[in-house]
Amino acid sequence: MAYVLDFAEIDRTRIASVGGKGANLGELSRIDGVRVPDGFCVTTEAFRRVLAELPAVDIRLDELASLMPDDRTRISELSAEIRRAIAESVIPADIAADVVDAYTRLGADAACAVRSSATAEDLPTASFAGQQDSYLNVIGARAILEHVGRCWASLFTERAVTYRQRNGFGHRAIDMAVVVQRMVFPWAAGILVTADPVTSDRKVVSIDAGFGLGEALVSGLVNADVYRVRDGVVTDRTIAAKKLAVEADPAGGTRTREIAPERQHEQVLTDAQIVRLARLGRGIEAHFGCPQDIEWCSDDEDFHIVQSRPITTLFPIPEAEDDDSHVYLSVGHQQMMTDAMKPLGLSVWQLTSPAPMRDAGGRLFVDVTRALSSPTARQALVEGFSGSDPLSGDALRTVVDRGFVPTVPDPSPATAPAAAPALIDADPALVAELIADSEKSLAALKNDIEAESGTAVLDFIAADIQGELRRILFNVRSQQAIRAGMESAGWLNDRLRTSLGEPNAADVLTRSVPGNVTAEMGLALLDVADAIRPHPEVVDYLRQVPDTGVDGQRFLDELTQRPGGQAARTALDAFLDRYGMRCVGEIDITRPRWSEHPAALVPTILANIANFAPGAAEQRFTDGLRAADQKTHDVLERLRDLPDGDSKATETQAMIDRLRTFAGYREYPKYGMVSRYFVYKKALLREAAQLVRAGVLADPEDIFYLRFDELREVVHTQRADHGLLRERKRLFHAYQSLTPPRVLTSDGEVISGTYRRTDLPPSALPGMPVSAGTVEGRARVVSDIAQADLTPGDILVTAYTDPSWTPLFVTISGLVTEVGGLMTHGAVIAREYGLPAVVGMENATGRIRDGQRIRVHGSEGYVEILPEP
């Protein structure tokens, strides 16, 4: 086995032996025109042998694996013990001899950089930058061996251990190699990234440059010049005051010196050097096939490259069929689901939607390039989103203003789209008919799919999605009903504001509307709490149930063994029969449904038991109905006092009737869709179980990492590509840490919209007003619904809400979200429950701290953070 490999023996395929950094350096040394200082790698074989001779480390690794990432005290203790054991060990003589021989080939007493190179470092989806240690200007064989040991030990620094645990990397799954590389003593050094670090634009190269060693920049010790290059032209340069430089100490190590005052404001690189370095970076990027983060330095001879790693924080660009400019609009921001989706979930959603969608980073996007190229369609798109999601609307406007998309003439008047038809009249029978049609179709689906197996199941599902599901979702009369509810709300808000000075009247008029299946769900869980509350043994059992990792059937079976458990089970079963197909992120068919994981409901049930009196559901509905009736009476009476008042009141009454007839129905089509999704999922999991029994798959949920057509092929051939499954799982994990943009260009640039408002207090956090009223309270910043700890009066602050969050709305007094619009879930339910709400607030969960007191202005669309008492 090889304990040492020279760079010439290494390429990108040797990650398992030399780690990510070592493999990249070996690969860099093979690129024509790229100068890489000579060096070698101490391989992972050496590291594994050293650890094998330290049984105490093995014991501590077992304990580390059992800890949560937040247990910082014990992680710190155990990682220190592991580092100490490695540092105090003696490097075996044969390994030491190989290292010394390789060092001697670099030259007697050569000054070297000694750097860690873990097998999960500098990878396309996980950089691990800065997680392990590096040492500069190490001189002498004994010092080299000592620093190799230090690098091995640095795999177990507290920060490295915590990073691995948070990112799903097992400690035993990662080995450590060490890079030993001849030092360059540069006059300038820095960092080059082949994409704009702020906007992610792949057409821009950004270069940071400073005097001396690059360590000063990497560590943040000094400011750097920053240059930007686009298409071979320097487009921007910021010249920093560079007061310090880090340089090699003749005795070994480094030292810091002051730069002469007359040189502190000098531009480090000339424009010609900047362009040449950018061209070098583009060549490295082309070789590796993805944007790179490159460390460079320059001596009197040339530029040298001392490291290159993939940039792992960039959001991927959707694939296009041509090289033209494209603009992509996020689907997740409109669907209130910005989390990463697994491949099966993405492909089922793509089958469902008639609009062509492209996936990137585990999210879906619509290509709006064609719409933006037409003056008429462009105006409609931008204005539409300016009203429903102002940040997306402003981002689209920015794209248009830049001229990123060429304009093409509008179609002739003869082919222009027809005007929208008049609103339909209030007709409760239509709503009942639409719901009955959906429920009848669902019952037929449940019956018919049972007869199918093998590839026939997938063919049946594909036909049902593109036939029956689309027929129901895009039924013309259904769309008319939804439009009538939405436009009547807008009409009432506009007219009553103008006629009576009454702002946001529709918010109250939509309280307790009939048939809102999502609002009814939140109240239904209050009824479940009423059924459980009289049984203390059941309540005690629920308090002991973890909200994750509990088998659904076992949970229900154990529930019935407690006194009162059967009554509780009956109530919970009735809830699950009606709503069990729902869950967080429900548009992703792979997500665990409440029927599969009923313990997910336990925290909300317990909160309802603690915070509400019996009969709260009926009382809340009655209160909402009374408020809506009173508001109707008030506005009609005030209208009748105006000139032509009777006519105005009659017209307004008709709009209120439309609103209350159709507003609740808007939530039903999605409920019907996820009901069908759950039927599909159960059928697919039956096939997955068969694949497991046949030895084709290891786990039924492996199918979630296949696209729908790929799954059909696996069922057909009874063969699966396990390498593909492993790669898909790795990518999904990486995608979970990415923040999806609202708008993304084919250059990779993330276009961020802003609220262009001048009517707000200086310290206000702007958003979109979606539910009237003002409320003060304690902010509870919640990222995981299962961890929500809410008490009455709290204000929920979160990234987004979908229907699964509705049960929490009965407790809170206000809502703030990062994603949303006027007719998205959080807004609709906030109005239904009478909660002031502001949505679309950029980075709300970062700008508002958990526990802070805030004031939500739901009518004006902003939030104030209140002074600490």
Side-chain angles (χ1 to χ4, degrees):
M1 61 183 67
Y3 293 128
V4 170
L5 292 172
D6 287 333
F7 284 174
E9 302 174 87
I10 298 169
D11 61 22
R12 70 178 87 184
T13 67
R14 303 299 295 268
I15 289 176
S17 296
V18 299
K21 184 181 285 117
N24 288 348
L25 282 168
E27 191 72 28
L28 280 165
S29 68
R30 296 166 178 265
I31 305 175
D32 289 341
V34 175
R35 299 179 62 136
V36 178
D38 294 338
F40 62 89
C41 289
V42 183
T43 68
T44 56
E45 291 286 352
F47 174 74
R48 284 196 294 270
R49 180 172 161 192
V50 169
L51 252 60
E53 298 176 6
L54 298 172
V57 169
D58 204 51
I59 295 170
R60 285 162 177 78
L61 285 176
D62 285 337
E63 186 174 349
L64 265 182
S66 68
L67 298 178
M68 297 297 292
D70 295 329
D71 191 352
R72 298 189 61 178
T73 299
R74 191 58 183 146
I75 287 175
S76 177
E77 294 169 351
L78 286 171
S79 58
E81 292 171 11
I82 294 172
R83 291 197 306 278
R84 187 161 50 250
I86 295 173
E88 293 174 356
S89 67
V90 177
I91 298 178
D94 54 338
I95 296 176
D98 286 353
V99 173
V100 172
D101 284 348
Y103 172 64
T104 302
R105 289 196 296 273
L106 295 179
D109 292 328
C112 291
V114 182
R115 292 188 170 103
S116 64
S117 180
T119 53
E121 187 176 10
D122 294 352
L123 304 180
T125 55
S127 75
F128 280 74
Q131 298 306 312
Q132 286 87 43
D133 291 344
S134 295
Y135 304 93
L136 300 180
N137 200 31
V138 180
I139 303 172
R142 179 176 295 180
I144 292 290
L145 291 172
E146 176 189 343
H147 286 83
V148 166
R150 290 185 183 180
C151 284
W152 285 340
S154 74
L155 186 63
F156 300 102
T157 61
E158 181 181 346
R159 69 178 183 272
V161 168
T162 302
Y163 184 95
R164 289 196 295 274
Q165 288 184 292
R166 291 192 186 280
N167 287 276
F169 290 88
H171 301 301
R172 283 191 177 85
I174 299 176
D175 292 322
M176 176 69 84
V178 179
V179 171
V180 180
Q181 186 176 26
R182 188 195 303 275
M183 279 286 295
V184 175
F185 300 99
W187 65 270
I191 300 165
L192 177 156
V193 289
T194 61
D196 191 300
V198 176
T199 69
S200 301
D201 190 340
R202 310 310 202 264
K203 295 291 184 69
V204 172
V205 171
S206 180
I207 298 171
D208 288 11
F211 294 118
L213 291 167
E215 180 65 17
L217 304 186
V218 174
S219 64
L221 179 65
V222 300
N223 294 324
D225 285 3
V226 180
Y227 318 122
R228 282 183 168 78
V229 181
R230 188 181 185 97
D231 298 328
V233 177
V234 180
T235 59
D236 185 57
R237 57 183 70 76
T238 301
I239 311 304
K242 299 167 286 294
K243 298 181 179 180
L244 300 173
V246 174
E247 60 185 22
D249 190 316
T254 60
R255 64 187 181 189
T256 301
R257 68 170 175 85
E258 291 188 5
I259 295 174
E262 64 272 16
R263 296 197 62 205
Q264 290 180 4
H265 293 278
E266 282 184 10
Q267 182 171 319
V268 176
L269 299 179
T270 66
D271 280 10
Q273 289 172 321
I274 294 168
V275 171
R276 183 164 176 272
L277 183 57
R279 189 179 304 118
L280 186 63
R282 285 294 186 211
I284 294 170
E285 176 188 58
H287 183 85
F288 283 102
C290 63
Q292 296 288 301
D293 178 343
I294 299 166
E295 293 183 23
W296 61 272
C297 59
S298 182
D299 59 12
D300 292 334
E301 296 181 5
D302 204 350
F303 288 113
H304 300 267
I305 303 301
V306 295
Q307 189 171 334
S308 185
R309 65 171 69 91
I311 305 175
T312 60
T313 56
L314 297 175
F315 198 88
I317 305 171
E319 291 186 8
E321 297 172 355
D322 54 46
D323 295 327
D324 295 341
S325 296
H326 292 267
V327 180
Y328 302 102
L329 181 67
S330 167
V331 173
H333 285 82
Q334 314 313 315
Q335 289 295 327
M336 302 301 99
M337 218 304 257
T338 54
D339 295 346
M341 296 170 68
K342 297 184 178 75
L344 184 62
L346 292 168
S347 57
V348 168
W349 185 254
Q350 286 172 305
L351 282 172
T352 304
S353 173
M357 294 183 183
R358 302 186 183 276
D359 64 276
R363 280 78 169 186
L364 289 169
F365 294 84
V366 175
D367 187 340
V368 295
T369 312
R370 179 172 295 181
L372 290 177
S373 68
S374 159
T376 301
R378 171 195 307 159
Q379 182 178 356
L381 184 69
V382 172
E383 290 182 356
F385 276 99
S386 296
S388 65
D389 180 7
L391 293 178
S392 293
D394 188 68
L396 291 171
R397 191 181 303 279
T398 298
V399 172
V400 171
D401 290 346
R402 287 185 186 174
F404 184 81
V405 177
T407 298
V408 298
D410 278 333
S412 63
T415 60
L423 293 183
I424 59 174
D425 292 333
D427 183 2
L430 172 59
V431 173
E433 178 186 330
L434 292 168
I435 292 174
D437 177 51
S438 179
E439 292 181 347
K440 180 181 177 181
S441 177
L442 179 64
L445 168 66
K446 291 178 179 178
N447 179 72
D448 296 345
I449 203 170
E450 292 295 325
E452 306 295 340
S453 63
T455 56
V457 170
L458 286 103
D459 294 340
F460 179 92
I461 291 171
D464 189 80
I465 290 174
Q466 297 186 318
E468 191 66 0
L469 175 55
R470 283 193 180 184
R471 178 188 71 80
I472 293 169
L473 283 177
F474 307 112
N475 181 309
V476 172
R477 300 186 75 200
S478 176
Q479 298 297 306
Q480 288 175 332
I482 293 170
R483 176 173 163 260
M486 294 173 61
E487 295 196 10
S488 59
W491 188 95
L492 287 164
N493 281 335
D494 291 342
R495 292 297 180 91
L496 296 179
R497 182 186 298 110
T498 301
S499 300
L500 303 177
E502 179 82 36
N504 308 106
D507 292 0
V508 180
L509 293 171
T510 51
R511 297 277 301 276
S512 298
V513 294
N516 186 324
V517 68
T518 305
E520 290 169 355
M521 178 177 69
L523 300 180
L525 206 56
L526 285 172
D527 290 335
V528 174
D530 286 353
I532 294 174
R533 189 181 289 106
H535 307 293
E537 293 88 350
V538 173
V539 175
D540 288 341
Y541 168 68
L542 295 181
R543 288 179 178 140
Q544 299 167 26
V545 173
D547 54 24
T548 58
V550 180
D551 176 76
Q553 190 58 49
R554 181 166 65 85
F555 163 71
L556 295 173
D557 290 343
E558 290 181 359
L559 180 66
T560 59
Q561 297 171 13
R562 273 68 182 174
Q566 189 56 57
R569 169 78 182 265
T570 299
L572 191 53
D573 280 345
F575 179 87
L576 293 174
D577 285 345
R578 177 69 169 156
Y579 305 108
M581 77 296 293
R582 311 216 84 153
C583 66
V584 175
E586 63 189 9
I587 68 170
D588 182 353
I589 195 174
T590 71
R591 291 292 189 99
R593 310 285 143 173
W594 287 339
S595 285
E596 298 170 306
H597 181 39
L601 296 167
V602 167
T604 306
I605 293 172
L606 288 173
N608 287 349
I609 290 171
N611 296 327
F612 295 97
E618 183 178 356
Q619 184 61 54
R620 290 177 70 92
F621 188 84
T622 301
D623 290 347
L625 191 59
R626 184 181 301 113
D629 287 344
Q630 185 61 52
K631 177 62 70 174
T632 299
H633 177 269
D634 289 348
V635 298
L636 293 178
E637 286 299 305
R638 292 168 62 193
L639 285 170
R640 290 188 181 100
D641 290 338
L642 299 177
D644 197 23
D646 287 343
S647 174
K648 288 184 172 68
T650 299
E651 187 180 24
T652 301
Q653 179 69 71
M655 280 295 180
I656 293 174
D657 290 344
R658 281 193 184 92
L659 177 67
R660 294 195 59 80
T661 297
F662 296 123
Y665 174 72
R666 188 180 187 281
E667 291 289 302
Y668 191 86
K670 189 175 186 181
Y671 170 83
M673 182 190 75
V674 297
S675 297
R676 298 184 92 88
Y677 272 17
F678 192 31
V679 177
Y680 303 153
K681 182 182 184 182
K682 288 188 286 188
L684 293 174
L685 285 174
R686 286 196 297 270
E687 287 304 311
Q690 178 60 38
L691 292 171
V692 172
R693 287 192 293 270
V696 177
L697 296 177
D699 187 299
E701 293 191 0
D702 283 348
I703 68 169
F704 297 162
Y705 297 92
L706 297 169
R707 295 185 63 82
F708 191 85
D709 58 330
E710 294 170 341
L711 175 56
R712 188 190 187 285
E713 185 65 14
V714 169
V715 173
H716 174 65
T717 63
Q718 294 291 291
R719 290 194 301 271
D721 184 341
H722 293 277
L724 174 66
L725 289 171
R726 287 191 296 272
E727 177 67 6
R728 291 276 177 81
K729 291 174 183 179
R730 184 183 66 79
L731 284 173
F732 175 72
H733 187 84
Y735 292 157
Q736 288 178 297
S737 64
L738 297 179
T739 299
R742 281 178 163 84
V743 175
L744 181 69
T745 74
S746 50
D747 290 347
E749 184 178 5
V750 172
I751 309 294
S752 300
T754 59
Y755 289 99
R756 303 178 188 276
R757 296 177 60 180
T758 58
D759 59 337
L760 301 179
S763 61
L765 306 179
M768 183 177 185
V770 295
S771 185
T774 302
V775 65
E776 292 183 12
R778 178 181 64 161
R780 298 315 308 261
V781 180
V782 179
S783 60
D784 181 353
I785 188 173
Q787 305 301 320
D789 180 17
L790 301 169
T791 58
D794 285 345
I795 297 171
L796 175 62
V797 181
T798 190
Y800 68 86
T801 68
D802 64 10
S804 69
W805 290 69
T806 302
L808 301 185
F809 281 44
V810 300
T811 301
I812 61 176
S813 64
L815 174 70
V816 180
T817 68
E818 295 176 347
V819 177
L822 189 63
M823 298 307 296
T824 52
H825 165 264
V828 171
I829 304 304
R831 292 193 293 271
E832 169 77 20
Y833 287 176
L835 306 173
V838 174
V839 303
M841 178 179 292
E842 192 78 354
N843 193 29
T845 57
R847 299 161 78 183
I848 299 172
R849 295 197 316 272
D850 186 59
Q852 279 186 315
R853 289 195 62 79
I854 62 174
R855 181 182 297 124
V856 177
H857 296 266
S859 302
E860 293 81 14
Y862 68 93
V863 173
E864 293 177 284
I865 298 176
L866 301 178
E868 299 288 342

